[in-house]
Amino acid sequence: MSTKLEIEKKFLISPPKSWIQISKIFDNLIDVKRISQVYLNKKDGEEECARIRKTIFGLKDDLDVRYDFNQKQFVENGVSKEKEVEISKDKYEELLKDKNKDQIILSKTRFLFNYKDQVFELDLFKEPLNGLAILELELKKKDQQIFIPPFLKVIKNITNNPKFNNFNLASTV
């Protein structure tokens, strides 16, 4: 399992409400992913809960499906260490039995698109978080200049707001 340093910025946005806004995303679309993310029970000695994720790539269910095991450790504002490894469907189903019962399964559609040579991830959450929209950008360096697409309305920067990390979102319901 490899560990990498992840530097990212996160923004709470108003979800796209018009076909014009959506078409601007699709003009530079890289991929669409449907994600189900499940947090596991915390093991003794672990600082953070692990999670498993099922990702369907593309627009149809018969396309590529990937299963991952992931664990993050907070380093500093907007920076974390991330361990991630691809797992088999059987391993995913086995780990699913250890789901944290106090948390919901996070379901979202992720749109990856390019804007001014930056790859953004726009997560549109499904029930019970329907209407929540988070825009993320992974940075190469902490002081990198960011160009927010003008067709998306940022409500606020939530990079350092723990209320909006996926673990806490899964605990909100």
Side-chain angles (χ1 to χ4, degrees):
M1 190 175 343
S2 66
T3 302
K4 70 174 187 166
L5 204 57
E6 181 181 64
I7 305 168
E8 66 183 7
K9 293 289 183 185
K10 293 172 70 169
F11 303 91
L12 180 65
I13 66 162
S14 294
K17 293 188 177 11
S18 75
W19 285 107
I20 293 169
Q21 288 176 305
I22 293 169
S23 71
K24 289 180 182 181
I25 293 169
F26 276 91
D27 284 345
N28 295 298
L29 190 67
I30 297 169
D31 200 358
V32 177
K33 301 176 181 180
R34 286 169 285 157
I35 298 169
S36 295
Q37 189 165 296
V38 178
Y39 284 90
L40 305 176
N41 289 313
K42 195 172 182 179
K43 305 286 186 229
D44 289 338
E46 288 182 342
E47 292 180 35
E48 306 266 336
C49 289
R51 67 140 170 94
I52 53 175
R53 178 185 275 180
K54 175 183 177 182
T55 304
I56 301 170
F57 295 85
L59 298 173
K60 297 189 179 211
D61 284 338
D62 61 346
L63 295 179
D64 190 26
V65 179
R66 179 180 163 138
Y67 303 90
D68 292 292
F69 174 89
N70 178 288
Q71 198 158 24
K72 284 187 178 185
Q73 181 180 4
F74 175 78
V75 174
E76 63 181 341
N77 291 341
V79 181
S80 58
K81 286 184 187 175
E82 181 178 60
K83 295 178 187 176
E84 186 167 77
V85 63
E86 187 172 356
I87 58 175
S88 69
K89 180 180 180 181
D90 289 341
K91 182 68 175 175
Y92 173 85
E93 289 174 356
E94 176 188 326
L95 289 169
L96 199 53
K97 295 173 188 169
D98 195 30
K99 178 193 176 300
N100 184 326
K101 305 286 189 255
D102 295 329
Q103 295 186 289
I104 62 168
I105 296 174
L106 285 182
S107 295
K108 56 190 173 183
T109 302
R110 174 172 287 168
F111 298 91
L112 279 82
F113 66 96
N114 192 319
Y115 179 76
K116 292 197 175 193
D117 295 322
Q118 303 168 110
V119 177
F120 285 92
E121 296 178 347
L122 172 58
D123 288 345
L124 300 178
F125 288 80
K126 299 179 182 180
E127 293 296 336
L129 298 172
N130 197 32
L132 179 62
I134 295 178
L135 183 68
E136 292 186 27
L137 175 64
E138 199 164 312
L139 306 176
K140 293 178 176 68
K141 55 186 181 174
K142 287 198 289 189
D143 61 350
Q144 178 179 325
Q145 187 173 11
I146 299 171
F147 301 98
I148 301 290
F151 50 86
L152 294 175
K153 183 182 177 216
V154 172
I155 297 170
K156 65 180 171 179
N157 182 331
I158 57 171
T159 301
N160 300 317
N161 188 335
K163 176 182 173 184
F164 291 98
N165 71 34
N166 282 329
F167 179 81
N168 288 332
L169 289 174
S171 303
T172 58
V173 180

